[in-house]
Amino acid sequence: MGGRDWCQREVVPFSAGFTVDSIRVGITTLFKAANSRGMSYHACLFNAYAIAALLLLLPAPFLSLKSRTLPPLSLAIAAKLGLLGLVGYVHFE
């Protein structure tokens, strides 16, 4: 069991960090190439978010091992969500 613990403590975080850094370098390179050919910042940002949504968010429910049912929405949770929405609206206006 010592090898498995070492792998979870050392190898997995290193692999995740390496992957994130590699993706960040790739996105930066693609943005600079698109920007040098005349693509606007907003169009590149939209494309990056669209690709992220398709590749990361779309298959996430199918890969999750958690329960498929949602907990009930209580008044406290609804109030917190409303407060967060109000703060975000006031902050960005």
Side-chain angles (χ1 to χ4, degrees), residues 27 31-32 34-36 38-49:
I27 289 173
F31 171 73
K32 286 184 178 186
N35 198 16
S36 68
M39 180 182 272
S40 72
Y41 172 75
H42 298 293
C44 191
L45 189 67
F46 175 79
N47 290 335
Y49 278 123

Side-chain angles (χ1 to χ4, degrees), residues 1-45:
M1 288 264 190
R4 187 177 195 150
D5 292 335
W6 176 80
C7 182
Q8 288 180 339
R9 280 185 294 127
E10 301 292 332
V11 176
V12 172
F14 177 78
S15 300
F18 181 78
T19 303
V20 168
D21 286 341
S22 299
I23 291 171
R24 187 177 297 152
V25 168
I27 289 173
T28 303
T29 304
L30 287 175
F31 171 73
K32 286 184 178 186
N35 198 16
S36 68
R37 293 181 184 203
M39 180 182 272
S40 72
Y41 172 75
H42 298 293
C44 191
L45 189 67

Side-chain angles (χ1 to χ4, degrees), residues 70-86:
L70 294 174
L73 182 64
S74 67
L75 182 62
I77 293 175
K80 289 176 185 176
L81 288 172
L83 183 64
L84 283 173
L86 182 65

